């Protein structure tokens, strides 16, 4: 992949504006990547609808290689991307704390009408599970094991977890490399070591030894 022009597209998580990934984006730019942030309305758009919008967004992203770095629900949307628009340029995928198996916290909230309203369209083949398995790409997952967050107040989360998503919720058949780090669900976005791991995976398809 040396000498090829590479871009990274960042996909944010549920109920987030994308600004929380700004520091991560700056660090990826400092490593030589052209970085683009994709935004979507997580409560109004289903993951499939967001994936179709992501497919259209990717058409205007330059580069021979287009990598994807997705936080939380963003990883579920990337799963849908390769179902609705499977023909994409080469590139690797790093998911950060994405609940590929569904979210226990979301499932608990969805048991009542207010919770379902608050979570919105993200529940549809998304936070409750049922998203399509991604095929044909190198996928690395970084999960957090620092239990700092509101999750345990909402639902019983098995250890280890990142305060929002349990490590076992981040596993999926497409994940070729899985790494657990002592970071929380949102703290992972500002962790320097996580950036190093992400960059190493984008370059090699492996996490650091």
């Amino acid at each position: 992949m040396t000498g090829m022009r590479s871009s990274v597209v960042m996909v944010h998580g549920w109920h987030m504006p994308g600004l929380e990934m700004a520091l991560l984006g700056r660090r990826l730019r400092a490593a030589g990547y052209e970085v683009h942030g994709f935004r979507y309305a997580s409560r109004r758009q289903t993951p499939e609808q967001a994936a179709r919008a992501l497919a259209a967004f990717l058409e205007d992203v330059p580069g021979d290689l287009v990598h994807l770095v997705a936080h939380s629900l963003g990883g579920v949307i990337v799963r849908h991307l390769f179902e609705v628009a499977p023909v994409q340029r080469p590139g690797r995928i790093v998911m950060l704390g994405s609940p590929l198996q569904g979210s226990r916290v979301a499932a608990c909230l969805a048991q009542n009408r207010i919770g379902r309203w608050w979570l919105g369209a993200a529940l549809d083949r998304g936070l409750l599970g049922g998203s399509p398995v991604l095929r044909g790409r190198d996928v690395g997952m970084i999960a957090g094991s620092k239990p700092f967050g509101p999750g345990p107040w909402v639902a019983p989360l098995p250890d280890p977890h990142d305060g929002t998503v349990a490590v076992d919720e981040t596993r999926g058949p497409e994940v070729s490399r899985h790494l657990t780090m002592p970071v929380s669900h949102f703290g992972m976005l500002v962790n320097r070591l996580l950036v190093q791991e992400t960059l190493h995976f984008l370059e090699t398809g492996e996490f650091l030894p």
Side-chain angles (χ1 to χ4, degrees), residues 13-32:
W14 178 81
H15 212 44
M16 291 289 113
L19 297 177
E20 74 285 355
M21 299 184 77
L23 179 58
L24 175 59
R26 285 200 296 272
R27 289 170 171 170
L28 293 174
R29 286 189 186 95

Side-chain angles (χ1 to χ4, degrees), residues 171-191:
R171 300 193 181 276
E174 68 266 60
V175 177
S176 56
R177 295 292 182 270
H178 193 285
L179 175 67
T180 301
M181 297 181 62
V183 292
S184 67
H185 194 63
F186 294 101
M188 64 175 61
L189 297 177
V190 297
N191 185 276

Side-chain angles (χ1 to χ4, degrees), residues 141-146 160 167 170-171 178-183 207:
M141 175 71 75
I142 303 178
S145 61
K146 186 176 182 178
V167 169
T170 66
R171 300 193 181 276
H178 193 285
L179 175 67
T180 301
M181 297 181 62
V183 292
F207 291 121

